[in-house]
């Protein structure tokens, strides 16, 4: 089977994690969630975590020197040999260029960039109501509530609100997205790699549309 190397692109709260969990649930593709890796480092108090924390709390991007090597290591890993799904990386053009260079060195190509289009007002509603479990499983108090209030359906752990999902930080993250990450839409569109999705649709509809596109990409890659 041909490898599938995918990027999930879109503003914070667009539904990348919700859909990434679904697309990779069968374990065939290595799922690399940059935000989760950084939050784990902060929690463990590693050198990376100590350096990254202030940027994350402020809603800024963590510097490229800390992030690029970390993610490219995962792309080069044995686990990503049959393909990967990158969530939260690249987040600026320099990161996109670093990924291109690493893939070229490996003799591999990007298969596609799945872009979730969601307007800012909707993002604010989504992030304000987002709750996450200890393992990073994603819920929404209104749009995707757990079966029992405040606890994860899967492991029963208490759900928490991320520190950076508070209103002031949400606005900052959106500004950072428009300024630094959005240029990647044109970057990939010019190369014919961009696939747009209406991220305002309910999760099941977005998932169905994504799966259709991913199946087509698999078929195209196989011929
Ligand atoms: P991202 O990974 O892009 O930051 P998430 O997947 O964490 O976004 O989604 C942000 C919030 O929006 C979560 O609370 C999630 O439950 C909710 N959500 C995700 N997709 C949808 C959707 N299609 N419709 C409504 N709410 C959604
Ligand atoms: P996320 O979980 O994707 O919303 O990311 C949470 C935070 O982690 C961001 O606001 C950034 O501070 C940091 N972060 C995640 N991915 C990156 C990246 N590719 N480059 C720099 N910082 C990142």
């Amino acid at each position: 089977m041909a490898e599938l190397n995918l990027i999930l692109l879109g503003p914070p709260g667009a539904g990348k994690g919700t859909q990434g969990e679904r697309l990779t649930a069968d374990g065939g593709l290595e799922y690399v969630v940059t935000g989760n890796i950084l939050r784990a480092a902060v929690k463990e108090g590693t050198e990376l975590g100590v350096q990254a924390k202030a940027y994350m709390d402020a809603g800024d991007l963590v510097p490229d020197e800390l992030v690029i090597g970390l993610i490219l290591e995962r792309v080069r890993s044995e686990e990503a040999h049959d393909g990967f799904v990158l969530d939260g990386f690249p987040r600026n053009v320099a990161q996109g260029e670093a990924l291109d260079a690493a893939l070229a060195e490996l003799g591999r190509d990007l298969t596609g960039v799945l872009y979730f289009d969601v307007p800012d007002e909707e993002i604010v509603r989504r992030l304000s109501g987002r709750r996450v479990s200890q393992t990073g499983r994603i819920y929404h108090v209104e749009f995707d509530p757990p079966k029992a209030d405040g606890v994860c359906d899967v492991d029963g752990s208490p759900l928490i609100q991320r520190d950076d999902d508070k209103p002031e930080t949400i606005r900052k993250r959106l500004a950072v997205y428009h300024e630094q990450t959005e240029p990647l839409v044109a970057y990939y569109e010019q190369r014919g790699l961009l696939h747009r999705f209406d991220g305002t649709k309910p999760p099941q509809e977005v998932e169905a549309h994504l799966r259709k596109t991913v199946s087509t990409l698999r078929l195209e890659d196989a011929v």
Side-chain angles (χ1 to χ4, degrees), residues 11-19 87 122 126-127 129-131 138-140 143-144 162 173 199-203 206:
K16 302 181 298 292
T18 300
Q19 299 299 333
D87 176 342
E122 176 67 14
R126 287 198 185 171
L127 292 184
R130 174 161 64 184
R131 299 292 181 271
I138 303 158
Y139 297 87
H140 191 283
F143 308 132
D144 190 9
R162 276 170 46 175
R173 289 162 67 206
T200 63
K201 297 269 192 275
V206 179

Side-chain angles (χ1 to χ4, degrees), residues 37-38 41-42 45-53 62 66-67 70:
I37 296 170
L38 293 172
V42 170
T46 64
E47 168 117 24
L48 166 70
V50 170
Q51 292 188 61
K53 187 175 186 315
V62 173
L66 297 179
V67 173
L70 186 75

Side-chain angles (χ1 to χ4, degrees), residues 39-114:
R39 277 184 291 278
V42 170
K43 208 166 160 187
E44 284 163 27
T46 64
E47 168 117 24
L48 166 70
V50 170
Q51 292 188 61
K53 187 175 186 315
Y55 297 98
M56 296 173 76
D57 286 347
D60 277 318
L61 294 188
V62 173
D64 288 348
E65 310 83 85
L66 297 179
V67 173
I68 290 177
L70 186 75
I71 301 304
L72 294 186
E73 194 182 305
R74 295 285 295 270
V75 167
R76 295 188 183 104
S77 71
E78 184 60 35
E79 289 76 15
H81 201 255
D82 295 330
F84 55 76
V85 176
L86 297 182
D87 176 342
F89 185 94
R91 236 170 164 114
N92 59 30
V93 171
Q95 293 181 8
E97 289 170 350
L99 176 64
D100 287 341
L103 289 174
E105 227 171 76
L106 294 167
R108 294 168 66 175
D109 289 315
L110 274 177
T111 318
V113 177
L114 311 178

Side-chain angles (χ1 to χ4, degrees), residues 15-22 24 31 33-37 39-40 43 87 130-140 144 151-162 165:
K16 302 181 298 292
T18 300
Q19 299 299 333
E21 280 180 5
R22 296 174 185 215
T24 58
Y31 185 32
V33 188
T34 313
N36 286 355
I37 296 170
R39 277 184 291 278
K43 208 166 160 187
D87 176 342
R130 174 161 64 184
R131 299 292 181 271
V132 292
S133 73
Q134 304 301 309
T135 60
R137 207 169 178 287
I138 303 158
Y139 297 87
H140 191 283
D144 190 9
V151 293
C152 178
D153 295 348
V154 180
D155 61 19
S157 68
L159 301 183
I160 55 152
Q161 182 171 32
R162 276 170 46 175
D165 280 348

